[in-house]
């Protein structure tokens, strides 16, 4: 446990010194700060001054009050950029979740396509052509959600929505298992994830006797990462009813698979009750950091205000490229081809695994398969010994059981039989408890 050194007569001075010790690592996550009266006596100040200092630290997300357990230092968000995964030489990568580059539209644009204007800062804002493409596509999905806004990727849109809606310390319902960057984002925003299990109809609703209520819920309507499950119409209707009874809970829908999905878009909220986010990365380019959002007007206005004081707008060059690539992909039939290719790989592997193991695997779509295992460590080790790099499930899980995630974008047809046989061995390997 770290030692606390503080001096000074004002709440600001005391808070700043404790904050510095936390950030430097002198105070570690889990360490308890002295009781208010004890520290006040040591410093010779009024207890209200120390209480105010602790309040400032709580507001900054550095500590949390645990009732009689005292004031505890919180774990800090990751400060370093995640290093790039290195695939060992000779290993076949089924862990990274990359896409098949041959199923993405090729970038072949002229300068006139990308730079239609050269006038400068007066062109800031959302590109009408890109917003219209999104509106037309949503209309084809049977959904009308109003005006569309452009943000710098799905996580950026989700972060802005949560900043506008949720106070630090609040709880947010998330799918379990779920996309790890989302958990990192919640941690950074000082929000507590509440796990909801995913089954074949999509994310389950909270238990009626759940003690803690979420101020928001983040849902994937199709090809949920990592399970591949999609919302059934019944489950979406159940969520609509739940949200109508809980108007303070914001529903954020991350439709990352979007135009690559073969499933209907069953939304868990009505037009002005939630936020719909569509990332362009999966069907246009992973490096095209653009997402489109629409839904609750007041929330969208707050998100735009947040954007204006930060990055101000999304590059018009990127928006022009996105619009051109989207139109090109539609014209050339690339979206349908990608839909079919990814689904064929998934179905072929699933069918072969079922034949080898005798166990039914849940149907789904997308580029990932989530396989429950007896031991993640044993399964990953067996696959590595046989030349396959797969992703252990621990980073995705909150309370759900052990599993591995297998990504199929870089799987060649001639590898399928070998992969299925190796997975069949790995699934049942190791101890019953992970």
């Amino acid at each position: 446990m770290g030692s606390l050194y503080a001096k000074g007569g004002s709440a600001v001075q005391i808070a700043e010194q404790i904050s510095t010790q936390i950030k430097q690592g002198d105070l570690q996550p889990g360490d308890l700060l002295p009781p208010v009266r004890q520290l006040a006596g040591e410093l010779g100040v009024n207890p209200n001054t120390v209480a105010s200092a602790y309040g400032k630290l709580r507001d900054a997300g550095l500590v949390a009050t645990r009732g009689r357990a005292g004031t505890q230092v919180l774990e800090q968000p990751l400060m370093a950029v995640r290093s790039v995964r290195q695939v060992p030489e000779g290993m076949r990568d089924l862990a990274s979740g990359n896409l098949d580059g041959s199923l993405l539209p090729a970038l072949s644009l002229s300068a006139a396509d990308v730079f239609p204007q050269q006038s400068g800062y007066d062109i800031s804002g959302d590109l009408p052509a890109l917003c219209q493409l999104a509106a037309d596509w949503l209309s084809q999905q049977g959904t009308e959600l109003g005006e569309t806004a452009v943000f710098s990727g799905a996580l950026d849109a989700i972060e802005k929505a949560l900043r506008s809606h949720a106070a630090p310390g609040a709880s947010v319902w998330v799918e379990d298992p779920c996309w790890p960057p989302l958990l990192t984002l919640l941690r950074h925003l000082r929000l507590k994830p509440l796990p909801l299990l995913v089954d074949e109809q999509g994310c389950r609703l909270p238990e009626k006797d759940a003690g803690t209520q979420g101020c928001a819920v983040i849902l994937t309507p199709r090809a949920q990462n990592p399970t591949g499950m999609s919302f059934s119409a019944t489950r979406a209707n159940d969520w609509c009813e739940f949200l109508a009874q809980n108007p303070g809970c914001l529903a954020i829908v991350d439709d990352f698979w979007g135009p690559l999905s073969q499933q209907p878009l069953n939304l868990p909220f009505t037009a002005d009750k939630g936020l719909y986010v569509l990332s362009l990365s999966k069907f246009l380019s992973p490096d095209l950091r653009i997402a489109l959002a629409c839904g609750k007007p007041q929330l969208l206005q707050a998100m735009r205000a947040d954007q204006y004081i930060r990055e101000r707008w999304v590059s018009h060059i990127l928006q022009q490229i996105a619009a051109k690539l989207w139109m090109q992909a539609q014209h050339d039939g690339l979206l349908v081809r990608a839909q079919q290719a990814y689904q064929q790989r998934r179905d072929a592997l699933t069918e072969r695994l079922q034949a080898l193991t005798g166990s039914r695997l849940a149907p789904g779509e997308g580029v990932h398969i989530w396989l429950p295992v007896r031991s993640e460590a044993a399964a990953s080790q067996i696959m590595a010994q046989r030349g396959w790099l797969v992703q252990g499930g621990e980073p995705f899980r909150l309370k759900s059981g052990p599993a591995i995630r297998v990504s199929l974008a870089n799987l060649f047809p001639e590898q399928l039989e070998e992969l299925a046989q190796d997975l069949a061995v790995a699934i049942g390997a190791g101890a019953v408890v992970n």
Side-chain angles (χ1 to χ4, degrees), residues 318-371:
L318 288 180
Q319 292 191 61
Q320 290 283 354
I321 291 173
K324 292 289 183 178
L325 287 178
W326 196 343
M327 289 187 287
Q328 177 184 327
Q330 290 177 327
H331 180 269
D332 297 342
L334 292 177
L335 299 179
V336 174
R337 183 162 70 91
Q339 283 178 358
Q340 295 173 346
Y342 286 128
Q343 194 63 46
Q344 286 170 359
R345 294 176 201 181
R346 183 189 182 93
D347 291 345
L349 181 59
T350 300
E351 291 171 7
R352 189 64 188 123
L353 269 177
Q354 290 180 157
L356 289 170
T357 64
S359 300
R360 178 182 176 274
L361 297 177
E365 65 172 358
V367 75
H368 307 300
I369 290 183
W370 183 250
L371 297 174

Side-chain angles (χ1 to χ4, degrees), residues 166-296:
S171 297
V172 176
W173 279 306
V174 297
E175 299 159 333
D176 184 14
C178 76
W179 186 40
L182 181 58
L183 298 178
T184 303
L185 174 62
L186 294 180
R187 180 183 172 203
H188 175 70
L189 296 177
R190 300 297 179 196
L191 299 173
K192 179 182 177 181
L194 299 177
L196 298 173
L197 293 178
V198 176
D199 61 25
E200 293 187 27
Q201 295 193 64
C203 185
R204 296 182 186 177
L205 275 70
E207 298 291 338
K208 292 184 179 179
D209 58 350
T212 306
Q213 293 296 309
C215 71
V217 59
I218 303 171
L219 301 167
T220 311
R222 303 187 280 197
Q224 195 263 350
N225 183 5
T227 67
M229 298 299 102
S230 298
F231 265 134
S232 67
T234 299
R235 181 62 54 80
N237 288 334
D238 290 342
W239 270 106
C240 284
E241 293 178 6
F242 174 84
L243 292 167
Q245 296 167 7
N246 296 271
C249 180
L250 170 68
I252 301 174
V253 166
D254 178 14
D255 193 17
F256 79 99
W257 201 238
L260 297 180
S261 177
Q262 296 179 318
Q263 298 298 317
L265 178 57
N266 295 313
L267 286 178
F269 61 81
T270 53
D272 61 345
K273 301 299 183 182
L275 183 75
Y276 173 85
V277 180
L278 173 66
S279 170
L280 307 189
S281 296
K282 287 293 184 288
F283 68 99
L284 295 183
S285 170
D287 203 43
L288 195 63
R289 314 308 297 168
I290 289 181
L292 305 168
C294 50
K296 193 173 182 179

